[in-house]
Amino acid sequence: MVDTSIYSRTMQVRRSSGGNLQVGLLPYSGRTTIEANASTGGEIIVADNIPCFIELKSMGRTGSSNILPANENGLSTWTITPSPGSIPNGVIRDRDLAVDDLGYRYELTCYLTPMGYIIQGIRLES
Amino acid sequence: MADLSDITALFASMAAATIYPNGNSQPSIINGPVKIFEGWPIPEIIDLDMRGQMLVNSVVAPTGVGPICSVSVYPMPNSGALAYQILDEPYIVVPPVHGLTPTIIGGAIALSGTPGTGEFVTLILDKHVYSRGGASISAILAALLTDVLVDYPTAYVSGNSLMTPATHVTARIGAPATMAQVTHRQIESVMVTVWTPDPERRTALVAPLDVMFKKNLRVALPDTSYAIIRYQKTNSTDAHQTVGIYQRDLIYTVEFATLDTFPVVEVTAIVTNIGVDVSEDMLIQTYGPTLPGQPSPFVAIISPVWVETVVAPSSPTISSNS
């Protein structure tokens, strides 16, 4: 039973498709946020409705080269703690993408501990 | 119109023709799988490809076909250069197609064939000009007859012929066409990058690609304009060998045109009226159907299909260049 007073947030984990054995002249290569199956590009969902706790680890700094002029902050880093046992071992990989219940997107770095996954996410904002 | 996407697509197709000369279903020139694409590799996927691995339900598994090399085609950022601008004349991209053939005997104009989309017939009877199109010969003749009856009340249609009492008869066929004009030329750099797990495969892929590009230095694009390719430089990178990637960039500058393509119709008659307008000495009128979105028939192509006759009492003369 998940304690929703602690793990009050949810996230979905996605992965860029395209890792298949098609060779020869292929369609344009690049990530898109379009949800798709593995054969058509876009993102596939590898885990959904994961109860989690999301907290700020570090604010982004100004001066990043990829922000728009009105932005005050660069990309921030967040710690995402899924509820114990909510993600089977091996499901999440580095560079997977998370979308939280508020619609924010993160690129993930993760590692497995005896207490479950510890996930760091860079919030992806233009 | 040609733009940068057409150029990168051109390089990708030339790369595919080089690496898979017999199609994707046949072995590549390195006897191993190669991905060829516009854009940039997705990092986690190229990492797996270089090791001959893939993800199966989030678990890394062997591909069974060994490492998969990649060839990416990407435009170099900040690589634009000023190109010499050439004032170019419009030219025909898609010529008009004539399905109708006119024949004149005396004052009778006979039509044969089948009208294409937008095709029309212009008649010049003495000094009167009539121009009509239609889905069939009978529809065209019926429309023409309505106009002709104003000046020739005894005219009538018989079968595929319009019978008139006119003494000087000209019939011309017009049809829509497509023209284009180069409005600008530009220069961009395109980088063709070969990603392989070892230097041997890198060499085996790069050399034939370079040969292919350099023997196609002037290439026709789908919009009929030409791209001019010039070799610029090569970057060879071994810095990523710890992650199993050997990389080489072939960089070419490409000069290509921005092509403005527009619909036109053939001019089938020009009538000059002296003193019609006090502000102009001469008024030139053109006859032909107006295309959707065009304010008036575009004066561009003089119809080469025409027949003309001057009726003499005993020996009518028929001439034709169609």
Side-chain angles (χ1 to χ4, degrees), chain A residues 97-110:
Chain A
L97 301 157
V99 182
D100 69 17
D101 53 325
L102 300 179
Y104 291 115
R105 291 169 59 86
Y106 309 83
E107 181 166 326
L108 305 182
T109 298
C110 59

Side-chain angles (χ1 to χ4, degrees), chain A:
Chain A
M1 190 66 164
V2 176
D3 185 348
T4 55
S5 64
I6 298 174
Y7 302 102
S8 58
R9 308 285 303 278
T10 61
M11 70 167 178
Q12 182 184 70
V13 180
R14 297 176 165 218
R15 182 175 299 153
S16 294
S17 64
N20 51 49
L21 297 182
Q22 287 185 317
V23 296
L25 187 57
L26 302 179
Y28 197 96
S29 172
R31 279 180 167 154
T32 70
T33 59
I34 301 168
E35 190 178 312
N37 62 45
S39 64
T40 58
E43 294 176 355
I44 54 174
I45 298 171
V46 296
D48 204 1
N49 286 320
I50 306 298
C52 61
F53 175 69
I54 301 174
E55 58 185 330
L56 179 67
K57 182 179 182 187
S58 65
M59 287 292 293
R61 296 189 177 192
T62 58
S64 174
S65 61
N66 61 347
I67 61 172
L68 297 177
N71 283 3
E72 294 183 359
N73 296 317
L75 300 177
S76 52
T77 305
W78 299 71
T79 299
I80 303 172
T81 308
S83 68
S86 60
I87 304 177
N89 294 352
V91 168
I92 299 182
R93 297 178 58 83
D94 280 4
R95 290 167 168 165
D96 280 352
L97 301 157
V99 182
D100 69 17
D101 53 325
L102 300 179
Y104 291 115
R105 291 169 59 86
Y106 309 83
E107 181 166 326
L108 305 182
T109 298
C110 59
Y111 58 98
L112 198 55
T113 73
M115 293 173 288
Y117 273 107
I118 294 179
I119 302 170
Q120 305 291 333
I122 297 173
R123 186 177 281 186
L124 302 173
E125 297 170 311
S126 57

Side-chain angles (χ1 to χ4, degrees), chain B residues 106-107 109 123-130 148 151-152 164-171 270-271 308-311:
Chain B
I109 306 102
L123 299 181
I124 304 174
L125 306 181
D126 301 323
K127 293 182 179 179
H128 305 285
V129 178
Y130 315 93
V148 170
D151 302 308
Y152 300 93
T164 78
T167 55
H168 187 171
V169 179
T170 300
I270 298 176
V271 177
E308 185 172 358
T309 182
V310 177
V311 178

Side-chain angles (χ1 to χ4, degrees), chain A residues 15-31 46 90-91 93 95, chain B residues 12 16 20 24 33-40 43-45 47 55 58 60 63 68 74:
Chain A
R15 182 175 299 153
S16 294
S17 64
N20 51 49
L21 297 182
Q22 287 185 317
V23 296
L25 187 57
L26 302 179
Y28 197 96
S29 172
R31 279 180 167 154
V46 296
V91 168
R93 297 178 58 83
R95 290 167 168 165
Chain B
Y20 284 94
N24 289 2
V34 183
K35 294 179 176 179
I36 303 144
F37 49 83
E38 299 168 67
W40 202 246
E44 61 268 35
I45 292 175
D47 279 352
L55 287 181
S58 297
V60 174
T63 61
I68 302 175
Y74 198 76

Side-chain angles (χ1 to χ4, degrees), chain B residues 93-178:
Chain B
V93 175
V94 180
V97 177
H98 298 138
L100 294 174
T101 303
T103 307
I104 296 176
I105 299 176
I109 306 102
L111 296 178
S112 59
T114 304
T117 303
E119 190 170 352
F120 59 98
V121 177
T122 296
L123 299 181
I124 304 174
L125 306 181
D126 301 323
K127 293 182 179 179
H128 305 285
V129 178
Y130 315 93
S131 187
R132 289 287 186 172
S136 63
I137 288 178
S138 60
I140 294 172
L141 291 178
L144 285 170
L145 178 63
T146 302
D147 297 338
V148 170
L149 283 173
V150 174
D151 302 308
Y152 300 93
T154 60
Y156 63 97
V157 170
S158 174
N160 285 346
S161 298
L162 176 62
M163 317 301 286
T164 78
T167 55
H168 187 171
V169 179
T170 300
R172 292 181 181 142
I173 305 298
T178 302

